């Protein structure tokens, strides 16, 4: 009896298609590769896969490792919300067990199992995830918005007098790291070196290993310091959580929180700024008061999610998904970007998604992003403060000249050159403003003006002598300013002042 094949399609993947076949040039079994020359435009490839295979498509990763790509919105949600059928433990992945995935596989850093909350299950997942969410729940969101505003002012001060800037390298890549270092409890570690190290790790450059060591060293020092001397910050609450994390567990989860939040938020800020600067609908609505920056953030999370796919989920048993037979041990890619444009949930991609938060940008189920509210706050508060400082900011190149670096995991804007009228630097503790506030009138009065006295037509009688005028009295003190309205007080509170 011929043993059952472990390939995703149920066929032997060794022989390729014959010459002249429409699938010629693809991988084994005629499957599309998610890498190489044929995958330079992943967005178009996703739609081709959807047309050929439906909501779940068989694909090939680097080294022609078989994988399922989940393209449908409903299918993605079912996968991430059904831990009885799918997990994130790569130790059950059949290609890994069969030796198809080598230790130096390009995606191994994303797929290799680690004893962290995003990979574990059951009681261990509850223990680790509980510590992370417990520490996140202690974050003072109003205080965080003050940090966001302060760091926004510092960053803008560095280029506001020039009248030009690159909002990717000078703003979007710096603001999240500055705020996250403050929240975690290591503001002294924020500098250009920390930002560069994070970028190196995420891009996989030649210095990625050294950069990883640099970031981990800072986090290890933080864990040891907060074990000895806790304060009111995320690291201290993680160390002191009743779950009892070890120093190694604390360091690893600080790394997970820092890197996941940094990458997602840096991409989100850049994408929101690009949308505001290039799409006339959004700029007009923002200026006209019909759309807030947080609403523009949500639209961006639909159209350009910070992460395109997430590596990876694995089938715990034989099951079915999107009409496909999924075998135990098969791997599946959580397709955020293709799921967000599933025509079954978005038949018109130009339609406004205001008020709709059912996108996949932050995942779902037991591994849903626990820090999504902080990411949203950094993006909407930072972009709002930037636009208040530079209300005339414009893209300095044509929109078609913008370029991206794209991978399976995400899509980054390379740069975003802008121009604006040079502005003076601003006190980092001052409320963001692009114009000085005019002084209040000393005696503001809302009343009907007194009528002017009318000169009589008849001659006036002789003036009667009057006593000498009394010495001039000192002008009364100006009336106190009117109390601030409820809406104004709410705006100031929301922006962290």
């Amino acid at each position: 009896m011929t043993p059952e094949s472990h390939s995703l399609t149920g066929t032997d993947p060794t022989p390729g298609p014959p010459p002249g076949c429409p699938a010629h040039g693809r991988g084994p079994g005629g499957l599309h590769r998610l890498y190489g020359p044929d995958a330079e435009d992943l967005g178009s490839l996703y739609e081709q896969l959807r047309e050929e295979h439906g909501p779940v498509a068989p694909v090939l990763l680097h080294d022609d490792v078989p994988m399922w790509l989940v393209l449908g919105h409903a299918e993605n949600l079912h996968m991430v919300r059904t831990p009885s059928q799918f997990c994130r433990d790569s130790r059950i992945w059949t290609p890994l067990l069969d030796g198809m995935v080598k230790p130096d596989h390009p995606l191994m850093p994303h797929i290799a199992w680690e004893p962290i909350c995003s990979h574990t299950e059951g009681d261990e997942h509850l223990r680790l995830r509980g510590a992370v969410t417990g520490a996140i729940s202690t974050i003072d969101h109003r205080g965080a918005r003050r940090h966001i505003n302060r760091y926004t002012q510092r960053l803008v001060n560095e280029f506001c007098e020039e009248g030009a800037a690159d909002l990717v390298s000078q703003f979007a890549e710096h603001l999240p790291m500055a705020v996250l270092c403050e929240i975690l409890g290591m503001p002294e570690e924020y500098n250009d070196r920390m930002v560069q190290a994070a970028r190196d790790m995420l891009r996989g450059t030649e210095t990625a290993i050294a950069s990883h060591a640099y970031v981990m060293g800072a986090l290890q020092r933080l864990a040891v310091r907060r074990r000895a001397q806790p304060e009111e910050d995320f690291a201290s609450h993680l160390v002191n959580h009743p779950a009892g994390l070890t120093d190694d567990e604390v360091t690893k989860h600080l790394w997970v929180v820092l890197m996941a939040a940094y990458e997602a938020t840096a991409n989100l800020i850049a994408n929101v700024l690009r949308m505001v600067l290039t799409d006339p609908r959004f700029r007009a609505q923002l200026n006209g008061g019909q759309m807030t920056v947080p609403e523009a953030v949500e639209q961006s999370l639909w159209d350009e999610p910070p992460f395109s796919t997430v590596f990876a989920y694995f089938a715990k048993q034989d099951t079915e998904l999107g009409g496909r037979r999924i075998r135990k041990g098969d791997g599946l890619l959580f397709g955020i970007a293709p799921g967000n444009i599933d025509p079954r949930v978005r038949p018109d991609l130009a339609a406004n998604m205001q008020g709709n938060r059912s996108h996949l940008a932050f995942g779902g189920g037991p591994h849903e992003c626990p820090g999504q509210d902080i990411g949203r706050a950094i993006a909407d508060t930072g972009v709002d403060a930037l636009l208040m400082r530079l209300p005339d900011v414009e893209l300095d190149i044509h929109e078609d000249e913008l370029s991206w670096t794209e991978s399976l995991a995400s899509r980054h804007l390379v740069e975003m050159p802008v121009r604006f009228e040079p502005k003076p630097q601003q006190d980092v503790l001052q409320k963001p403003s692009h114009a000085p506030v005019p002084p209040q009138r000393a005696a503001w009065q809302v009343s009907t003006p007194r009528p002017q006295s009318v000169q009589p037509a008849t001659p006036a009688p002789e003036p009667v002598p009057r006593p000498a005028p009394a010495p001039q009295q000192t002008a009364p003190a100006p009336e106190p300013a009117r109390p601030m309205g409820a809406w104004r007080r709410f705006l100031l509170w929301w922006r962290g002042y």
Side-chain angles (χ1 to χ4, degrees), residues 275 282 295-303 346 351-353:
M275 182 179 295
F282 291 99
E295 289 169 339
V297 168
E298 292 304 319
Q299 183 71 39
S300 178
L301 289 170
W302 274 103
D303 295 340
R346 291 186 69 186
N352 198 315
M353 301 302 288

Side-chain angles (χ1 to χ4, degrees), residues 1-13:
M1 180 176 178
T2 303
E4 186 178 19
S5 168
H6 286 291
S7 73
L8 295 176
T9 57
T11 60
D12 182 2

Side-chain angles (χ1 to χ4, degrees), residues 88 90 105-113 119 201-202 310-312 409:
R88 299 209 57 205
S90 63
H105 192 278
L107 300 180
M108 185 55 74
H110 299 276
I111 296 175
W113 186 84
H119 288 170
M201 292 167 55
L202 295 166
V310 169
F311 304 94

Side-chain angles (χ1 to χ4, degrees), residues 231-290:
E231 296 186 9
E232 283 299 318
D233 52 42
F234 179 89
S236 298
H237 289 289
L238 191 62
V239 166
N240 294 321
H241 192 273
L245 272 62
T246 65
D247 283 353
D248 184 59
E249 289 175 329
V250 169
T251 301
K252 286 183 176 178
H253 283 85
L254 287 173
W255 185 88
V256 169
V257 170
L258 176 64
M259 297 312 300
Y262 170 71
E263 169 73 348
T265 310
N267 278 352
L268 180 58
I269 292 173
N271 290 338
V272 171
L273 284 170
R274 185 206 64 79
M275 182 179 295
V276 169
L277 295 178
T278 61
D279 192 327
R281 296 176 305 163
F282 291 99
R283 195 66 187 264
Q285 287 180 311
L286 282 167
N287 290 339
Q290 299 176 17

Side-chain angles (χ1 to χ4, degrees), residues 185-208:
M186 54 176 198
E188 71 284 351
E189 297 286 357
Y190 165 67
N191 52 35
D192 290 344
R193 177 72 181 92
M194 180 64 78
V195 173
Q196 184 60 41
R199 302 314 305 167
D200 278 353
M201 292 167 55
L202 295 166
R203 291 169 181 161
T205 65
E206 295 179 355
T207 58

Side-chain angles (χ1 to χ4, degrees), residues 16-28 30-33 35 37-38 60 64:
C21 173
H24 189 64
R26 300 183 185 179
L31 301 184
H32 282 282
R33 292 185 171 103
Y35 67 98
D38 295 334
L60 297 172
D64 287 344

